[in-house]
Amino acid sequence: MAAAAVAWVAPALAEAHPRVVSINMCTDQLVLALADPDQILALSVYARDPMLSFGAAAAANYPSLSGVAEEVLVLQPDLVLSGRYTRQTTRGFLKAKGVALAEFDIARSIADATAQIRRAGELLGQPARADAAVAAIDAAVARAKARQHARLSVLPLQRRGWVAGGAPSPPTCSMCSGSPMPAPRSPLPAASCRWRRSSPIVRTRCC
């Protein structure tokens, strides 16, 4: 689930543990990890897809939206979490209706990710839970750095077999352990290359 969290948030929330709706797959993961079950009113349309969502199994316990803004209004949430690139018309409509909307940018590094976790924890009234999640990530990074594998080359595969480019978090994770990603050998952007099941590549877990 960037430090660049951003853009616009409606007036301060009155609820200590606001009832929340997530309309973005990445914010779904934050909500599932940090919020109490009774805080979660609904998640995005992709929340239950196991090929996309790491929390697909847990997401099955909550309503899934189709992506229409009116569905959100009917639920009357205290807070809506969105991605910065979630459909602009949907975000604009919710803002116009006075809905408290918190937008999150793309996390491009471990630092971005931990900053987003802390921000989501504050918004959801769950700062201690966010601190625990960040501590777990820091511990994983420390373990990875302690096992330096400088002679290994790592190719992190994302969901559905996509290979990330040089900016997102997978390369950052691989460098934690001293295992550099191989340099691109194609003029195409790395993110456009897709792993094929026939390829002799071993899947690895980052940090």
Side-chain angles (χ1 to χ4, degrees):
M1 123 239 196
V6 155
W8 184 92
V9 183
L13 301 172
E15 298 294 330
H17 293 87
R19 292 153 54 254
V20 63
V21 165
S22 168
I23 57 175
N24 171 265
M25 186 183 66
C26 293
T27 55
D28 288 340
Q29 316 306 304
L30 290 171
V31 170
L32 287 168
L34 304 174
D36 288 330
D38 60 2
Q39 285 185 262
I40 306 174
L41 296 180
L43 300 170
S44 81
V45 65
Y46 301 111
R48 299 182 182 183
D49 185 341
M51 294 296 289
L52 295 173
S53 171
F54 289 112
N61 297 315
Y62 305 100
S64 178
L65 302 176
S66 68
V68 180
E70 287 80 359
E71 288 180 309
V72 177
L73 294 180
V74 169
L75 294 172
Q76 299 184 325
D78 300 310
L79 172 68
V80 174
L81 296 191
S82 163
R84 184 180 179 186
Y85 298 103
T86 298
R87 190 181 304 167
Q88 187 173 2
T89 52
T90 299
R91 290 181 289 125
F93 182 82
L94 293 174
K95 290 176 186 179
K97 293 297 181 179
V99 175
L101 180 74
E103 298 172 273
F104 287 74
D105 206 339
I106 297 172
R108 300 184 184 280
S109 67
I110 294 174
D112 286 352
T114 54
Q116 286 197 359
I117 290 171
R118 291 190 190 283
R119 179 177 181 235
E122 290 295 331
L123 289 170
L124 295 168
Q126 303 289 356
R129 203 166 286 171
D131 287 343
V134 170
I137 291 172
D138 290 342
V141 169
R143 289 194 300 274
K145 288 182 176 179
R147 297 195 301 265
Q148 290 287 320
H149 299 301
R151 289 179 293 180
L152 295 179
S153 180
V154 176
L155 180 62
L157 298 174
Q158 297 188 20
R159 288 157 293 187
R160 289 189 174 172
W162 289 99
V163 178
S169 55
T172 305
C173 291
S174 66
M175 287 187 286
C176 287
S177 60
S179 303
M181 286 183 65
R185 296 182 181 179
S186 166
L188 293 174
S192 68
C193 301
R194 193 170 186 184
W195 171 73
R196 295 181 180 178
R197 291 185 180 278
S198 59
S199 301
I201 298 176
V202 178
R203 290 178 180 271
T204 61
R205 178 173 293 181
C206 179
C207 296

